[in-house]
Amino acid sequence: MNLHERAKSIKLLVMDVDGVLTDGRLYYTERGEEIKVFNVRDGLGIKLLQQTDIKTAVISGRNSKPLYRRLTELGIDEVYLGYNEKLPLLEDLIKKHLLKCEDVAFIGDDYVDIPVMKKVGFPIAVRDAPKKVRDVCLYVTKARGGYGAVREAIEYLLDLRGDLENLLKTYYSL
């Protein structure tokens, strides 16, 4: 199956968070509160994707109020926080939505993501992922995690599907 066919079959995009939607750094206040920094461009990419038939999910090993707030603001369909073992959750999502592995794209950045990447139909890594992670992916973003990599990956998928140009007309035809 070529890239265009693979992209056309995608019905679910699953994302990691730290190192993908964020730059992977952890910030703590003096009171021990965790602070997350997100790129608004990734948010617009997710909103573009939500105008298609592709659902969104996040599986992250971390769990925090700022993270949950951002994912809620973005309208992510499925949110799983505090799970280091991502593969069982992915398999549950596939069953829940009556999908095949080929129907799923995943964006990750580290070794713990490799089992999921090997299972899905369209694995994607961010540019600053380790080489062993990048090597199992169909696409590696030019952007680093937390710097628009999710937006880039979404636009790449939407372009392969032939959906991007039509979706963007909403913004530049005004």
Side-chain angles (χ1 to χ4, degrees):
M1 192 183 304
N2 66 36
L3 287 177
H4 172 74
E5 292 166 338
R6 283 180 185 240
K8 278 286 205 187
S9 74
I10 299 304
K11 293 177 179 50
L12 175 67
L13 173 67
V14 182
M15 298 164 274
D16 181 26
V17 175
D18 291 310
V20 176
L21 282 165
T22 74
D23 65 8
R25 295 184 289 172
L26 298 174
Y27 300 88
Y28 294 99
T29 67
E30 286 183 17
R31 288 189 255 151
E33 298 167 317
E34 186 175 321
I35 299 170
K36 297 262 185 206
V37 178
F38 298 93
N39 190 310
V40 295
R41 290 187 179 138
D42 289 336
L44 181 58
I46 290 167
K47 293 298 182 186
L48 283 172
L49 189 70
Q50 290 168 339
Q51 295 178 54
T52 71
D53 61 344
I54 300 173
K55 298 288 184 202
T56 55
V58 163
I59 302 174
S60 176
R62 300 192 59 79
N63 188 358
S64 69
K65 287 180 183 177
L67 172 55
Y68 185 76
R69 177 181 174 188
R70 181 62 177 152
L71 299 177
T72 301
E73 288 172 352
L74 291 172
I76 301 296
D77 297 300
E78 304 270 352
V79 176
Y80 299 93
L81 303 179
Y83 291 91
N84 292 319
E85 294 291 325
K86 296 176 186 179
L87 191 55
L89 280 172
L90 173 75
E91 291 167 344
D92 288 346
L93 279 169
I94 288 170
K95 287 178 192 167
K96 177 180 178 181
H97 294 282
L98 306 173
L99 302 174
K100 296 177 277 187
C101 295
E102 302 84 51
D103 300 334
V104 181
F106 178 82
I107 306 173
D109 73 308
D110 219 335
Y111 301 122
V112 298
D113 298 323
I114 290 175
V116 172
M117 290 172 161
K118 286 184 174 182
K119 185 93 172 175
V120 301
F122 211 110
I124 302 167
V126 296
R127 180 183 100 192
D128 49 338
K131 183 177 180 340
K132 288 187 185 297
V133 175
R134 296 190 316 262
D135 287 347
V136 300
C137 292
L138 292 177
Y139 183 69
V140 176
T141 64
K142 292 172 185 64
R144 293 178 299 150
Y147 291 89
V150 169
R151 163 87 167 265
E152 177 188 333
I154 288 170
E155 287 184 356
Y156 180 74
L157 279 172
L158 293 174
D159 193 39
L160 282 173
R161 291 167 53 101
D163 295 333
L164 183 62
E165 197 60 37
N166 194 42
L167 290 167
L168 292 179
K169 285 180 184 175
T170 305
Y171 298 100
Y172 62 75
S173 67
L174 301 174

